[in-house]
Amino acid sequence: RVHGERDRFVVTFRTPFSPKFWGLYSLTINEKDGINVIANLIFGEGPETFTEEDVACYKKFDAGSKLFLDIDTYVFQEKVDAVILKQSFHSSNHGSLVRSNISNNIVTKHPTTPISSSILTRSTITSELNSKKKKNSIGYENFEENENSKSFESLSKMMKDMKDDRGNIQLQEKGCYMISQLFQLMQQKEMVDLVLDNLVSFSSVQKNDIEKEKISNLLQISCYTIHRMAYYPELKDYIGESGTIELLLKIMQTHIMDSQLQIYILGALRNLVCASEENKNRFVQSQGLKSILNIQLQHSNNSSILLQSIGILKNISSNPIFVNEIENSGGIKICLDLAQNILVWINEKSNRSEPKNYLEILQTFFDFILNCIESESESSQNNIILNEQTFRGFLSNQIIYDSLGDTILEILKKIEL
């Protein structure tokens, strides 16, 4: 299982609830029986050795989402990149006495994707919310991902407080943030319900309300929490069944000019409709396509909104049934126009580093177009064929050609066919 010319290595995490680095190990076959695998510490503070019998969970690093994902295995395999050891190793003094000179900074990013990790990460939301000078309210900057704050007791107490004091905006905001970071401790539907209660209770605030900014921040962190929870299929379905998609679309219309809130709403929707045909259908039936296209037009200069909204269209269009719906709503034409605007913008820039975020938008847009072509929807294909010169125009830009040329050529090849 670990035989081969290449050396095999795995990392361990410090606790079952935290992705903080604990140790790097080399894997070898037990010389006594030639079967069992032994992991030997190379550096770090984890136990000197462990075997498969000591492993509670095996993980594989996913390059797309930048996450360590659980895999269904009970032994070391080629695809295993990390492990979490059984609780006995964490509750007893198995740690190595040798401290590494290398900083223990190997951590995974928070689950963001199916969606881009460059938009909705903990560092992004923390800096954005703190930039509004909220340091004396929720105190995100004081929230540490250590073993104490990640305890079951801390999370349970916060959930109880949230239930008991529903009208306390500051408490609800802090509680949602804690849930967004720690919900993997339990992944209970009760957590989803607490977050959804906030969306229901505070979604109808009008712009003249004195607590407008505080409530906007609460809605943002609530949407961010939904976005993170929707990464997990067992919670994604429950969230969709609870009427969340319809509620998010309602909030989108109520707070249509709140661009920051729109980003988090779109991020939540993008994850909810990813790999869930039921949620895709709920979204389309709730006039979601019309809503996000309206948001695109209202915020056409906001790159984050464009990225998330086109990402939703990409996820929806992965099911050919819905491509005609997108075409009939004008989605393909609107996105083509937006993409052309991005091309003009990039052509006007002399600094090659500036269009980086827009290249990500274009990549998502091109993937969306490929889905539409492969759907065999005649009307959408005709619309794309009529814009063949638009795609050739992208190839004339060296920045785009270097980064996305292969995808554009694939589109042109399919158009010609």
Side-chain angles (χ1 to χ4, degrees):
R1 294 174 312 219
V2 294
H3 291 289
E5 297 181 357
R6 293 185 302 168
D7 293 330
R8 293 286 293 117
F9 304 95
V10 297
V11 298
T12 59
F13 295 145
R14 185 173 295 277
T15 75
F17 311 129
S18 171
K20 291 188 177 180
F21 175 73
W22 202 21
L24 174 67
Y25 293 80
S26 63
L27 302 180
T28 58
I29 298 292
N30 189 333
E31 295 180 356
K32 293 182 179 180
D33 57 21
I35 299 176
N36 293 322
V37 178
I38 298 178
N40 297 287
L41 183 69
I42 298 176
F43 70 84
E45 298 181 345
E48 292 287 352
T49 63
F50 65 87
T51 66
E52 291 169 337
E53 294 181 354
D54 305 313
V55 177
C57 177
Y58 294 84
K59 292 179 176 289
K60 171 182 173 60
F61 182 74
D62 180 73
S65 62
K66 305 294 190 299
L67 301 172
F68 284 93
L69 306 179
D70 291 350
I71 55 177
D72 187 16
T73 182
Y74 298 97
V75 296
F76 283 111
Q77 297 179 354
E78 179 73 14
K79 59 185 178 181
V80 173
D81 297 313
V83 298
I84 292 177
L85 300 182
K86 293 179 179 178
Q87 185 63 32
S88 58
F89 268 86
H90 301 283
S91 58
S92 58
N93 187 22
H94 284 286
S96 168
L97 297 178
V98 180
R99 295 187 62 88
S100 168
N101 290 327
I102 301 179
S103 174
N104 292 338
N105 61 355
I106 302 178
V107 297
T108 58
K109 292 185 178 179
H110 297 306
T112 54
T113 198
I115 90 169
S116 168
S117 60
S118 65
I119 300 298
L120 298 180
T121 61
R122 180 188 175 197
S123 60
T124 302
I125 193 169
T126 302
S127 61
E128 286 172 350
L129 295 178
N130 281 343
S131 67
K132 299 175 182 177
K133 298 181 180 181
K134 297 173 63 278
K135 292 188 177 182
N136 292 326
S137 58
I138 185 170
Y140 290 114
E141 71 284 355
N142 296 322
F143 184 88
E144 296 293 337
E145 288 191 17
N146 53 42
E147 289 152 8
N148 290 329
S149 67
K150 280 188 175 288
S151 68
F152 180 92
E153 292 77 11
S154 295
L155 185 54
S156 297
K157 182 181 183 302
M158 175 57 73
M159 291 170 64
K160 182 180 183 302
D161 291 343
M162 291 174 72
K163 292 178 188 176
D164 294 341
D165 198 356
R166 297 296 311 157
N168 187 329
I169 297 175
Q170 181 177 338
L171 173 66
Q172 296 300 324
E173 187 177 358
K174 185 175 182 179
C176 281
Y177 183 76
M178 181 177 282
I179 289 176
S180 76
Q181 303 304 307
L182 309 181
F183 73 93
Q184 291 169 292
L185 284 173
M186 295 182 283
Q187 291 192 22
Q188 292 180 349
K189 294 178 180 178
E190 181 183 7
M191 296 184 184
V192 177
D193 294 338
L194 283 171
V195 178
L196 293 183
D197 283 346
N198 280 325
L199 292 178
V200 172
S201 300
F202 298 101
S203 61
S204 300
V205 175
Q206 300 303 313
K207 65 179 183 178
N208 292 327
D209 286 1
I210 193 170
E211 300 285 359
K212 176 190 172 186
E213 183 178 355
K214 291 182 180 179
I215 291 176
S216 176
N217 292 334
L218 173 56
L219 293 176
Q220 287 178 39
I221 189 61
S222 298
C223 290
Y224 172 68
T225 306
I226 293 297
H227 143 75
R228 292 205 61 213
M229 288 178 165
Y231 179 84
Y232 296 89
E234 60 273 20
L235 293 179
K236 183 198 299 278
D237 293 338
Y238 178 75
I239 294 170
E241 293 167 358
S242 301
T244 308
I245 291 174
E246 296 84 349
L247 180 58
L248 289 173
L249 291 172
K250 176 185 174 183
I251 298 172
M252 178 181 288
Q253 295 304 313
T254 303
H255 302 268
I256 194 167
M257 298 312 297
D258 188 339
S259 60
Q260 197 59 44
L261 177 57
Q262 296 297 335
I263 294 171
Y264 292 104
I265 293 173
L266 292 167
L269 289 169
R270 185 174 178 182
N271 265 13
L272 283 169
V273 301
C274 179
S276 173
E277 302 312 307
E278 293 81 5
N279 284 346
K280 289 177 185 178
N281 187 60
R282 292 185 185 102
F283 179 85
V284 173
Q285 294 301 317
S286 302
Q287 302 299 311
L289 293 173
K290 178 180 178 181
S291 296
I292 65 167
L293 293 174
N294 184 35
I295 292 298
Q296 282 184 343
L297 295 175
Q298 291 286 342
H299 302 274
S300 59
N301 293 324
N302 189 309
S303 61
S304 295
I305 286 179
L306 294 182
L307 177 60
Q308 302 308 334
S309 58
I310 296 175
I312 292 173
L313 294 176
K314 172 190 169 183
N315 288 344
I316 294 288
S317 64
S318 64
N319 185 332
I321 295 175
F322 297 118
V323 172
N324 277 332
E325 298 279 356
I326 296 174
E327 167 64 17
N328 293 337
S329 66
I332 294 177
K333 183 180 185 306
I334 289 174
C335 289
L336 280 166
D337 292 342
L338 291 172
Q340 286 182 299
N341 291 340
I342 292 174
L343 176 60
V344 171
W345 185 88
I346 293 178
N347 285 335
E348 291 176 349
K349 298 295 179 180
S350 58
N351 187 338
R352 290 175 62 93
S353 65
E354 286 191 76
K356 181 178 180 181
N357 194 35
Y358 286 95
L359 291 176
E360 188 176 2
I361 297 173
L362 288 177
Q363 177 66 71
T364 307
F365 165 71
F366 293 142
D367 290 340
F368 161 57
I369 292 296
L370 282 172
N371 283 345
C372 293
I373 294 175
E374 293 168 359
S375 72
E376 299 184 357
S377 165
E378 185 175 347
S379 58
S380 63
Q381 288 179 344
N382 289 338
N383 196 348
I384 293 170
I385 290 172
L386 290 173
N387 286 274
E388 178 180 354
Q389 291 305 314
T390 298
F391 294 102
R392 295 192 181 280
F394 286 115
L395 291 175
S396 65
N397 182 283
Q398 192 64 43
I399 299 174
I400 298 175
Y401 182 83
D402 291 343
S403 303
L404 308 173
D406 291 343
T407 305
I408 300 171
L409 290 172
E410 183 180 358
I411 291 174
L412 292 172
K413 182 178 179 180
K414 290 182 179 295
I415 288 176
E416 292 172 359
L417 294 176

